[in-house]
Amino acid sequence: MNKKLRKAVIAGNWKMNKTRSEAKSLIEELKPLVANADCDIVVCVPFTNLETALDASKGSNIKVGAQNCHFEKSGAFTGEISADMLVEMGVEYVVIGHSERRQYFGETDVTVNKRTRAAIDAGLTVILCVGEMLEDRELAITDELVAMQTKIALNGVSKNELSKIIIAYEPVWAIGTGKTATSAQANEVCAVIRTTIEKIYDKAAADAMTIQYGGSMNAANAAELVAQPDVDGGLIGGASLKASDFAVIIDAASK
Ligand code: PEP
């Protein structure tokens, strides 16, 4: 598998953090620090910050994403946002299937597939999250589980549409815990996902697929993680909230 075929993507998941004014300041601070980056940069912000983030990032190399979208186009779904609504604003990316959505908001592999389908149909690029719980790892079912999550999420997605998908391998036990997967563990599961893509589609599709690692990636450990042959960047929570730390991670992925 040739890592050089793929561009690394560093995406920040701000979760439920930052007011509009804080969002503007963070992006303004980040812009000059990452202007020469040689990787794609995305900030996935709360819905209320999308307009601010789009304005603040205009003319820069920072793209904007949302953290979820609904699978229906419109209707009686109080509190939800459709993919078309995001596209109309100028949003280009959306995180789908984050473990916090799966854990706290009833997201299932089937709804992840429906949201993925809707997001692609609307023209968004999906950052599709998969990953095992600690119990799964202890039962030694990580590979099977992550392969299954990947297969279900991509059900009905054609090979051509894969250019609109980034997969983020995020072991749930490593998210927001300060417990990072070792670079070997991260690479091993990213490789399992790549093999799964090869089985569903073909080798060319697997070679071209951007597969990120996410889970307590920070300024200190990013270089080793993103240097792994099957790791094409990262999805970063906590460390994306500080411009200087996020810029170090972006720099590591640009090498
Ligand atoms: C995430 O929110 O996807 C994430 C990986 O969070 P953290 O970097 O804080 O573990």
Side-chain angles (χ1 to χ4, degrees):
M1 301 285 179
N2 189 349
K3 193 175 166 87
K4 291 208 171 67
L5 291 173
R6 307 179 288 271
K7 196 162 196 187
V9 180
I10 295 292
N13 174 23
W14 290 8
K15 311 191 195 219
M16 195 175 71
N17 291 296
K18 304 289 176 190
T19 61
R20 283 168 66 136
S21 57
E22 289 167 344
K24 183 170 163 38
S25 305
L26 177 50
I27 292 174
E28 293 298 351
E29 195 185 340
L30 186 62
K31 277 197 291 193
L33 300 178
V34 301
N36 299 318
D38 190 22
C39 65
D40 288 349
I41 304 167
V42 187
V43 288
C44 299
V45 306
F47 290 129
T48 49
N49 290 344
L50 286 170
E51 198 166 12
T52 304
L54 286 162
D55 277 350
S57 62
K58 210 170 270 169
S60 79
N61 55 346
I62 301 171
K63 304 270 198 254
V64 175
Q67 298 172 13
N68 188 26
C69 70
H70 198 262
F71 41 83
E72 294 294 345
K73 281 188 155 311
S74 62
F77 302 101
T78 302
E80 292 290 327
I81 301 281
S82 77
D84 288 341
M85 290 171 182
L86 297 175
V87 170
E88 191 200 31
M89 294 184 77
V91 172
E92 293 178 72
Y93 291 79
V94 64
V95 176
I96 300 284
H98 191 278
S99 67
E100 287 151 17
R101 304 269 348 146
R102 294 178 190 252
Q103 270 183 295
Y104 308 131
F105 301 102
E107 194 77 73
T108 66
D109 289 331
V110 171
T111 56
V112 168
N113 173 242
K114 287 167 92 168
R115 290 181 208 273
T116 299
R117 191 59 266 164
I120 293 175
D121 286 342
L124 293 165
T125 295
V126 173
I127 301 176
L128 169 64
C129 301
V130 297
E132 82 286 5
M133 312 268 280
L134 186 57
E135 306 89 274
D136 304 321
R137 182 160 280 271
E138 286 169 352
L139 284 169
I141 57 169
T142 297
D143 294 2
E144 292 91 333
L145 189 99
V146 167
M148 183 189 75
Q149 290 175 336
T150 305
K151 275 188 197 169
I152 298 174
L154 295 178
N155 182 33
V157 174
S158 72
K159 186 181 161 188
N160 282 346
E161 290 171 327
L162 290 183
S163 62
K164 302 294 273 180
I165 303 267
I166 294 163
I167 299 179
Y169 165 55
E170 298 211 306
V172 181
W173 48 270
I175 298 178
T177 58
K179 227 189 235 180
T180 317
T182 64
S183 50
Q185 286 171 325
N187 192 63
E188 194 182 310
V189 184
C190 287
V192 167
I193 295 169
R194 204 173 297 289
T195 305
T196 305
I197 298 296
E198 183 171 349
K199 283 186 191 152
I200 309 173
Y201 301 95
D202 58 22
K203 183 163 183 329
D207 275 342
M209 175 62 67
T210 294
I211 304 178
Q212 304 171 311
Y213 167 77
S216 298
M217 192 187 277
N218 58 40
N221 60 26
E224 190 183 336
L225 286 161
V226 300
Q228 298 305 306
D230 278 298
V231 178
D232 310 312
L235 179 57
I236 294 106
S240 71
L241 297 172
K242 206 170 153 206
S244 55
D245 285 356
F246 197 45
V248 169
I249 298 171
I250 289 164
D251 190 48
S254 298
K255 300 229 157 79

